[in-house]
Amino acid sequence: MPTNEKEYNGYLLDQLELIERLELVIEKNDMEALKMQLALEKKFVERKLYQKPPLVENQ
């Protein structure tokens, strides 16, 4: 969960970057390239989702 506005904005910027990357692939009108890009983006999200917690807690 976001703890402050700066962290929340970071999440929104990540989502905007994802959309922009997908839009670039869509412009080529290549569905196979779009499927590959979606698989790659999913892998990136899962990597973030399953990463270990930080070694130092914010206090």
Side-chain angles (χ1 to χ4, degrees), residues 7-52:
E7 187 175 355
Y8 186 69
N9 284 340
Y11 293 135
L12 294 177
L13 287 171
D14 285 345
Q15 291 176 344
L16 280 174
E17 290 171 358
L18 167 64
I19 291 167
E20 291 169 354
R21 289 190 299 268
L22 293 174
E23 286 175 340
L24 288 173
V25 176
I26 290 171
E27 286 176 7
K28 297 176 184 176
N29 202 22
D30 183 352
M31 293 306 291
E32 194 59 38
L34 179 59
K35 288 178 185 179
M36 290 184 349
Q37 186 68 31
L38 283 169
L40 181 62
E41 298 298 339
K42 181 178 179 181
K43 183 178 178 180
F44 292 157
V45 170
E46 287 173 344
R47 185 179 302 149
K48 289 179 183 179
L49 183 63
Y50 299 119
Q51 65 180 298
K52 295 179 182 177

